[in-house]
Amino acid sequence: FGKTAELVRTAGAKSHLEALVFSIVRYLVAMDILLVVAIIAYARLNALPLAEVLPFALILLVASVPVALPATFTLATALASLGLVQRGVLVTRLGAIEEAAAMSVICSDKTGTLTQNRLTLTATQPWPGHSEDELLQMAAVASDAATQDPIDIAILAAANDHAITQESRIDFIPFDPSSKRSEAHFIRGSTTWHTLKGAPQVVAAISFCQDSQETTERLAASGARVIGVAAGPKGSETFLGLIALSDPIRPDAPEVLGKLLDLGIQVRMVTGDTAATAASVAKALGLAGAVCTERPLDPGCAIYAGVFPEDKFELVKTLQDSGHVVGMTGDGVNDAPALKQAEVGIAVEAATDVAKAAASLVLTTPGLAGVIDAVTTGRSVYQRMLTYTINKIVKTFQVALFLSLGLLFLHTFVISPLLVLLLLFANDFVTMSLATDNVHPSAGPDRWNVGTLVISSAAIATAWLAYIFAVRIFGQWWGMNQGALETTAFVGLVYSGIANVLLVRSRGHMFSSRPGRALLLAGTADIVTVTVMAHFGILMTALPWQFLGYVLAGTAIYVAILDQIKVPLLRRLEGR
């Protein structure tokens, strides 16, 4: 227990979301530093007062830092977790929803997760010189219903069916995963007897039985869990034979595993049973691949047999070192380190409180069907956050370059600091509504590629940069003064911001899927509010209705043209 507690304390995978946020911020801040340096150098060369330039530089930095990015991620995952509760999945760590989208391999327990955990006696194989009743009697002595161990319960039920008399025990040692056996002592005559049951190879080694392997493999080939039994005076135990217990697979397990494979997730079955039993169960489940028992565990195997609980922790780390985002299911105290280490630790329905506390997802229904919901929900959240991130990078490039290049080439501040702050509010309230947008989950595991994000976003931002300069030129042609031109820039940035959200929310064409209700309402409210403020001159210089109508119509035409360019651009960049 001390070792388990220490592993739980130190276990934990690095947050991919945290790394993503910092990567994006680094790109944006690096660009801003270059622009600020260029602006200050320009100011010094042209003798502009630093008192005017420094506030402008500060606003430039504020406009570029994605302040709402963590809040939007939190909002999206929190809303998703509420939906998962209705489908039998409790989320104990919000980041696990995003990690579920990227999960590329899941390691699943066999017993109770892929099988029904309802063991029944299917065969007995007494060793020569021993009877079936003797075999069951000694197995029952080494069992106790109080453990709630399915093996103990099945053996005691079989002994009761055979009307076998129970021995009075001196003591009882429950099953220990590290020793792979349970034990008991009782008095027979004047001698203390020792009886044990457990893994056939362990029991055979203690009782010096050399010829049990072939029979064990024959029984295990049917998918049965095979238990060895030995008893005798302490130090002189005799191998009594083998007991075969069947644990039928869950009716929905093959379908669930098939769906996981269709989602591009590799499935690994992990069990403490023998290789023969594991191979038979895997065949019934439709799992193909090598069965491994050697240490260290090979990350390329599909089925791991003879696994100790502590092996699961090492397996998770090995798969993570191989570049996988790992899901791990578990139910026991000793599973807690592996559940904590995995990006997506999944405590199954009957898990202990310790396992649930270490896991990031807790299933409240039997089987693994809830994992499918977690993955598809996570991938939907990924699509929403990908839209938000692309939009944020695009708008940051557009605004930062417009402010900087406007000063460098037009020799004036193209927009006031107050209007920049209003722009941040206008943009963020709309983009945060992406947390409930309608999306299509990805077909395979999602991975953030910051380099591709920045390149594709920069290409789209260049087009929007040309648009906002065109809007300003249109304002100059209309004959507007400096204050009206600043309002024109503000209105153009707001209109283009909403248009860009609609542009990038789908990897296909703009209206290949219907925008979410919250997004449509927020976008419409934003356009109406900004248009009314601009016309009546609230916090800015007033503009005529006709001019605002022209800018809005021009934005709609421009985004329709960009939509035709965006689709092949994103496909080419993603293919690269």
Side-chain angles (χ1 to χ4, degrees), residues 409-429:
F409 295 117
L410 301 178
H411 311 296
T412 184
F413 297 115
V414 291
I415 190 170
S416 69
L418 173 62
L419 292 181
V420 172
L421 292 177
L422 288 177
L423 174 66
L424 295 181
F425 282 105
N427 281 342
D428 283 346
F429 279 118

Side-chain angles (χ1 to χ4, degrees), residues 179-342:
S179 65
K180 286 191 173 288
R181 65 180 185 270
S182 61
E183 307 173 62
H185 294 89
F186 65 96
I187 300 295
R188 176 168 286 183
S190 60
T191 307
T192 299
W193 275 50
H194 177 215
T195 179
L196 61 152
K197 76 175 196 317
Q201 66 273 20
V202 173
V203 175
I206 293 174
S207 57
F208 302 103
C209 177
Q210 305 294 327
D211 56 351
S212 64
Q213 183 66 27
E214 183 179 346
T215 307
T216 299
E217 291 180 354
R218 176 175 58 80
L219 293 172
S222 65
R225 175 176 285 190
V226 183
I227 304 298
V229 182
K234 190 169 180 60
S236 303
E237 295 85 353
T238 302
F239 193 77
L240 302 181
L242 298 167
I243 295 174
L245 302 166
S246 69
D247 184 9
I249 65 172
R250 297 188 59 80
D252 62 337
E255 180 184 359
V256 170
L257 296 186
K259 288 181 179 179
L260 287 170
L261 292 170
D262 290 341
L263 289 169
I265 299 173
Q266 302 173 32
V267 179
R268 306 279 195 263
M269 188 179 79
V270 183
T271 178
D273 290 341
T274 63
T277 301
S280 177
V281 173
K283 183 178 180 181
L285 291 168
L287 284 179
V291 180
C292 297
T293 57
E294 297 81 10
R295 304 296 186 276
L297 297 174
D298 184 350
C301 296
I303 298 100
Y304 298 95
V307 173
F308 290 96
E310 55 265 33
D311 290 333
K312 296 180 182 179
F313 177 74
E314 295 301 328
L315 176 59
V316 171
K317 293 183 67 176
T318 300
L319 290 168
Q320 288 171 337
D321 291 341
S322 301
H324 289 289
V325 175
V326 182
M328 169 62 78
T329 72
D331 58 359
V333 172
N334 285 336
D335 294 331
L339 295 175
K340 184 75 176 295
Q341 178 64 30

Side-chain angles (χ1 to χ4, degrees), residues 421-574:
L421 292 177
L422 288 177
L423 174 66
L424 295 181
F425 282 105
N427 281 342
D428 283 346
F429 279 118
V430 173
T431 54
M432 287 181 72
S433 67
L434 287 168
T436 60
D437 191 25
N438 296 325
V439 294
H440 297 296
S442 312
D446 293 310
R447 290 295 182 94
W448 291 95
N449 187 327
V450 177
T452 299
L453 273 178
V454 173
I455 293 172
S456 56
S457 299
I460 297 171
T462 301
W464 283 119
L465 182 63
Y467 156 88
I468 193 61
F469 273 112
V471 168
R472 180 181 170 89
I473 292 170
F474 180 58
Q476 288 178 322
W477 176 82
W478 195 278
M480 292 182 175
N481 58 29
Q482 178 61 26
L485 286 175
E486 291 180 0
T487 305
T488 299
F490 169 71
V491 169
L493 289 172
V494 172
Y495 290 170
S496 64
I498 296 169
N500 188 66
V501 171
L502 298 175
L503 176 70
V504 302
R505 60 174 294 274
S506 171
R507 273 15 101 202
H509 287 292
M510 191 163 49
F511 290 107
S512 57
S513 66
R514 182 178 178 275
R517 183 168 177 267
L519 177 60
L520 287 175
L521 290 175
T524 302
D526 209 23
I527 290 173
V528 171
T529 302
V530 166
T531 302
V532 169
M533 290 178 66
H535 174 70
F536 290 103
I538 302 172
L539 301 179
M540 61 194 79
T541 303
L543 296 177
W545 286 118
Q546 185 181 12
F547 180 82
L548 292 169
Y550 285 147
V551 174
L552 185 58
T555 305
I557 295 170
Y558 193 80
V559 74
I561 296 171
L562 282 185
D563 189 47
Q564 304 305 312
I565 302 171
K566 175 207 71 175
V567 175
L569 170 67
L570 289 183
R571 286 175 181 168
R572 177 174 294 184
L573 286 169
E574 288 172 359

